[in-house]
C-alpha cells in the first residue's frame, strides 16, 4: 500500500485581525507598611513592568496588548484584517493570487482587491494586503483565505485557511409609539449598551419617512444635548430619547392615508469604544400600530389649557367621516357634574360624505375644579340608527376665580 506524503507549500499565509489594542493593567495587591507583609507587596507592585511609575496603585497601564485572537466583533463595526503571504523557500514563485471571502449565513462577500493577483515572489519576499468590511449581520462569520501559485515545475498549487468569529449585538434598542389626538406621533427609544466596555454615543438620530417631519426633544433651549457634550454610556446602562413626528399636510387631508401611514422611519446610531473604535447601527424600518378611529373621528380643537369655574369656554368640534359611506348626523349634548353644555341639543348637522370633515362650534360651562374631562357628546347616524358616544374628548384644568370685596368709601 502506497502512502501519500503531505507536500509542504512554498508559501505561508498569515492572517491577523486589525483592531485597537487594550491597555495592560497591573494586578493591584497592596497593604499598609505596618501590616504583616510589610513592603513586600508594594515592592512587587513597583517592580511590575505594566504598572505606571509613581501611580502603581491606580491600576493604570503603560503598555498596550495586541489582539491575541479574532474574538467577537460587534454589529456595525468595521472588520479589518491583515493578510500576509511569505515565500520561505529558495525558489521563485509565480502567479501568486490571494483571495479572501467572508461567508455569512445568507451570503458570500468578496473582500480582496486586485492588487494581489498574478504576483511573482522571489525567495524570502512578502506580499500583503489589508481588507475592510462593515459588519451588517449577526451570527457566525467565516473568513476564507485562498492562496494559489505556480512553482518552476509542476501544476498550479493552492491552499485555504478558515477563520471563524462571532458577530454579536452591541446595543439593545427598544421603541414605543404614542399616537396623539392632534395626529402627531411620539417615539420613545431606549438604547442599552451590551458591549463589554463603556462607549460614547456620538449620534442618535431619527431619519423619518417622507410622510412625516421629525423634531428631536432631546436638547435644551440652547440646542445642546441633555446628556452633555460627551455622552458616555457604561456597560448595561441605558439612554432614552424622544422624538415628535408631524404628518405632512398632504397626509392630513386624507384620513385613510393617514391611518395607513405606519412606516415612521429608522434610527441611526453612531458610537465609539473607549479607544476610539467607531461603530454604526441602523435599525430596520420602524412601524407604529395604526390607530383605530371607527366610522367617525371627533377632535376638539381650539380649547384652552385652563379655564375659570362657571365661566363659558368656546371650542370647535372637528368631525371626520372615516367610513366608506355617507352619514346623516344628529348632534346631541348631555350635561354632567363637570360640564354643562350651552346651546341646542339633538341638532341635525347635515350629510357627511366619506373622507369629508366639518367643524361645529361648541360652548360649555365648567362646573367643577381641577382637571376635568370633556364628555357628553353623542352623534347619531339617522339612516342606520347607529349611536356614537364620546366621553373622553379632551381635558382642561379649571381653577376657582378669585373674588375681591371693595368698600365704596375707599375707592
Amino acid at each position: 500500500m502506497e502512502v501519500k506524503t503531505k507536500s509542504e507549500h512554498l508559501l505561508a499565509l498569515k492572517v491577523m485581525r486589525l483592531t485597537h489594542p487594550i491597555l495592560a493593567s497591573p494586578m493591584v495587591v497592596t497593604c499598609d507598611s505596618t501590616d504583616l507583609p510589610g513592603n513586600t507587596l508594594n515592592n512587587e507592585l513597583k517592580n511590575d513592568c505594566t504598572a505606571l511609575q509613581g501611580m502603581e496603585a491606580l491600576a493604570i497601564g503603560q503598555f498596550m496588548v495586541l489582539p491575541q485572537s479574532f474574538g467577537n466583533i460587534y454589529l456595525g463595526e468595521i472588520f479589518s484584517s491583515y493578510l500576509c503571504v511569505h515565500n520561505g523557500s529558495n525558489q521563485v514563485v509565480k502567479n501568486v493570487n490571494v483571495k479572501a471571502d467572508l461567508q455569512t449565513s445568507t451570503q458570500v462577500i468578496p473582500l480582496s482587491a486586485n492588487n494581489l493577483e498574478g504576483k511573482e515572489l522571489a525567495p524570502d519576499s512578502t506580499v500583503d494586503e489589508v481588507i475592510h468590511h462593515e459588519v451588517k449581520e449577526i451570527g457566525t462569520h467565516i473568513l476564507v483565505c485562498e492562496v494559489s501559485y505556480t512553482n518552476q515545475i509542476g501544476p498550479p498549487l493552492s491552499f485555504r485557511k478558515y477563520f471563524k468569529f462571532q458577530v454579536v449585538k452591541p446595543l439593545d434598542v427598544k421603541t414605543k409609539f404614542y399616537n396623539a389626538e392632534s395626529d402627531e406621533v411620539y417615539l420613545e427609544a431606549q438604547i442599552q449598551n451590551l458591549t463589554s466596555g463603556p462607549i460614547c454615543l456620538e449620534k442618535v438620530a431619527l431619519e423619518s419617512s417622507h410622510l412625516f417631519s421629525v423634531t428631536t426633544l432631546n436638547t435644551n433651549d440652547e440646542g445642546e444635548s441633555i446628556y452633555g457634550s460627551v455622552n458616555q454610556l457604561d456597560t448595561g446602562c441605558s439612554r432614552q430619547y424622544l422624538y415628535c413626528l408631524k404628518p405632512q399636510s398632504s397626509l392630513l387631508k386624507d384620513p385613510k392615508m393617514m391611518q395607513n401611514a405606519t412606516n415612521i422611519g429608522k434610527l441611526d446610531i453612531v458610537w465609539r469604544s473607549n479607544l476610539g473604535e467607531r461603530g454604526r447601527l441602523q435599525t430596520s424600518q420602524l412601524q407604529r400600530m395604526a390607530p383605530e378611529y371607527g366610522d367617525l373621528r371627533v377632535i376638539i380643537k381650539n380649547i384652552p389649557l385652563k379655564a375659570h369655574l362657571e365661566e363659558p369656554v368656546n371650542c370647535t368640534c372637528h368631525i371626520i367621516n372615516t367610513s366608506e359611506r355617507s352619514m346623516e348626523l344628529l348632534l346631541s349634548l348631555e350635561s354632567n357634574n363637570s360640564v354643562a353644555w350651552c346651546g341646542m341639543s339633538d341638532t341635525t348637522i347635515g350629510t357627511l360624505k366619506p373622507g369629508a370633515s366639518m367643524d361645529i362650534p361648541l360652548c360649555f360651562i365648567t362646573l367643577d375644579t381641577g382637571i376635568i374631562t370633556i364628555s357628553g357628546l353623542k352623534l347619531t347616524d339617522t339612516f342606520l340608527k347607529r349611536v356614537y358616544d364620546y366621553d373622553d374628548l379632551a381635558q382642561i384644568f379649571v381653577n376657582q376665580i378669585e373674588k375681591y370685596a371693595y368698600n365704596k368709601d375707599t375707592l
Side-chain angles (χ1 to χ4, degrees):
M1 181 177 178
E2 183 180 357
V3 179
K4 293 184 179 180
T5 59
K6 185 178 180 180
S7 60
E8 294 185 358
H9 287 279
L10 303 179
L11 301 180
L13 172 65
K14 300 294 182 182
V15 178
M16 182 178 69
R17 179 190 170 192
L18 298 181
T19 183
H20 288 274
I22 60 175
L23 293 175
S25 302
M27 180 67 69
V28 178
V29 180
T30 183
C31 66
D32 193 84
S33 59
T34 59
D35 292 337
L36 182 61
N39 290 323
T40 303
L41 297 177
N42 296 332
N43 293 334
E44 288 293 330
L45 187 58
K46 290 180 180 179
N47 295 330
D48 193 340
C49 63
T50 61
L52 189 61
Q53 297 299 320
M55 293 185 290
E56 295 86 358
L58 294 181
I60 300 176
Q62 60 178 344
F63 292 99
M64 292 186 175
V65 181
L66 295 176
Q68 303 299 309
S69 63
F70 266 60
N72 291 335
I73 300 177
Y74 294 109
L75 180 69
E77 289 186 339
I78 302 296
F79 168 71
S80 300
S81 185
Y82 173 71
L83 310 181
C84 175
V85 179
H86 176 69
N87 183 7
S89 67
N90 56 0
Q91 304 180 26
V92 177
V93 179
K94 298 182 179 180
N95 299 324
V96 177
N97 296 314
V98 181
K99 181 182 178 183
D101 295 331
L102 187 62
Q103 293 183 1
T104 68
S105 59
T106 59
Q107 59 181 332
V108 177
I109 306 169
L111 300 181
S112 55
N114 298 327
N115 55 344
L116 291 184
E117 293 184 359
K119 295 287 185 179
E120 180 177 318
L121 277 181
D124 203 25
S125 297
T126 300
V127 291
D128 53 13
E129 182 185 16
V130 177
I131 56 177
H132 304 280
H133 174 68
E134 182 179 352
V135 182
K136 298 181 179 180
E137 293 185 35
I138 295 178
T140 303
H141 288 56
I142 301 176
L143 179 64
V144 182
C145 300
E146 181 180 5
V147 179
S148 61
Y149 63 94
T150 56
N151 53 13
Q152 295 178 354
I153 56 174
L157 301 174
S158 65
F159 63 92
R160 287 184 178 183
K161 282 191 175 182
Y162 301 88
F163 305 90
K164 182 186 293 187
F165 59 91
Q166 295 291 329
V167 177
V168 295
K169 286 175 57 177
L171 303 172
D172 183 30
V173 182
K174 298 178 181 178
T175 57
K176 293 181 181 179
F177 290 98
Y178 305 92
N179 296 313
E181 286 295 333
S182 59
D183 291 324
E184 295 177 340
V185 180
Y186 289 89
L187 168 65
E188 178 188 350
Q190 185 183 69
I191 301 174
Q192 184 182 16
N193 179 13
L194 300 181
T195 66
S196 58
I199 62 174
C200 180
L201 293 176
E202 286 192 347
K203 174 186 176 184
V204 180
L206 176 63
E207 298 178 356
S208 62
S209 65
H210 66 281
L211 299 176
F212 295 87
S213 60
V214 61
T215 302
T216 178
L217 303 178
N218 309 300
T219 56
N220 54 21
D221 295 337
E222 288 75 23
E224 301 173 347
S225 174
I226 58 176
Y227 297 116
S229 57
V230 180
N231 190 4
Q232 181 177 330
L233 192 60
D234 292 330
T235 302
C237 294
S238 302
R239 288 281 189 270
Q240 287 181 308
Y241 293 86
L242 186 62
Y243 301 93
C244 176
L245 295 106
K246 295 182 179 180
Q248 302 290 346
S249 57
S250 58
L251 190 62
L252 293 173
K253 297 177 181 178
D254 190 345
K256 281 296 181 183
M257 187 177 178
M258 179 65 194
Q259 188 173 3
N260 295 329
T262 57
N263 289 336
I264 296 300
K266 50 190 176 182
L267 284 170
D268 188 15
I269 307 171
V270 179
W271 77 92
R272 289 189 182 273
S273 64
N274 52 356
L275 286 175
E277 194 165 4
R278 185 177 183 271
R280 182 184 180 187
L281 181 65
Q282 198 171 54
T283 65
S284 57
Q285 193 71 229
L286 301 176
Q287 292 189 341
R288 64 162 181 165
M289 294 293 294
E292 293 292 338
Y293 297 130
D295 293 337
L296 290 172
R297 185 183 178 191
V298 176
I299 303 173
I300 299 297
K301 295 183 175 181
N302 304 325
I303 184 171
L305 297 177
K306 59 183 180 179
H308 293 297
L309 182 65
E310 297 180 354
E311 286 191 355
V313 178
N314 295 310
C315 60
T316 302
C317 179
H318 185 68
I319 305 173
I320 308 173
N321 184 0
T322 55
S323 67
E324 301 294 335
R325 55 185 174 83
S326 298
M327 291 187 179
E328 289 283 345
L329 296 178
L330 178 71
L331 176 63
S332 301
L333 301 172
E334 296 181 358
S335 302
N336 49 49
N337 296 331
S338 301
V339 172
W341 292 98
C342 303
M344 296 180 60
S345 183
D346 298 334
T347 304
T348 302
I349 59 177
T351 303
L352 196 60
K353 295 182 179 180
S357 62
M358 65 171 61
D359 291 331
I360 307 296
L362 296 177
C363 180
F364 62 89
I365 296 176
T366 57
L367 303 179
D368 198 4
T369 57
I371 299 178
I372 66 172
T373 301
I374 310 303
S375 60
L377 189 144
K378 182 187 299 183
L379 292 173
T380 304
D381 184 3
T382 57
F383 181 74
L384 294 181
K385 306 299 181 182
R386 187 174 296 175
V387 180
Y388 304 91
D389 292 315
Y390 298 93
D391 292 327
D392 191 5
L393 293 170
Q395 289 182 332
I396 185 173
F397 177 72
V398 180
N399 59 354
Q400 193 167 2
I401 188 171
E402 296 181 0
K403 298 180 180 180
Y404 298 92
Y406 297 96
N407 191 340
K408 296 182 179 180
D409 298 336
T410 60
L411 296 177

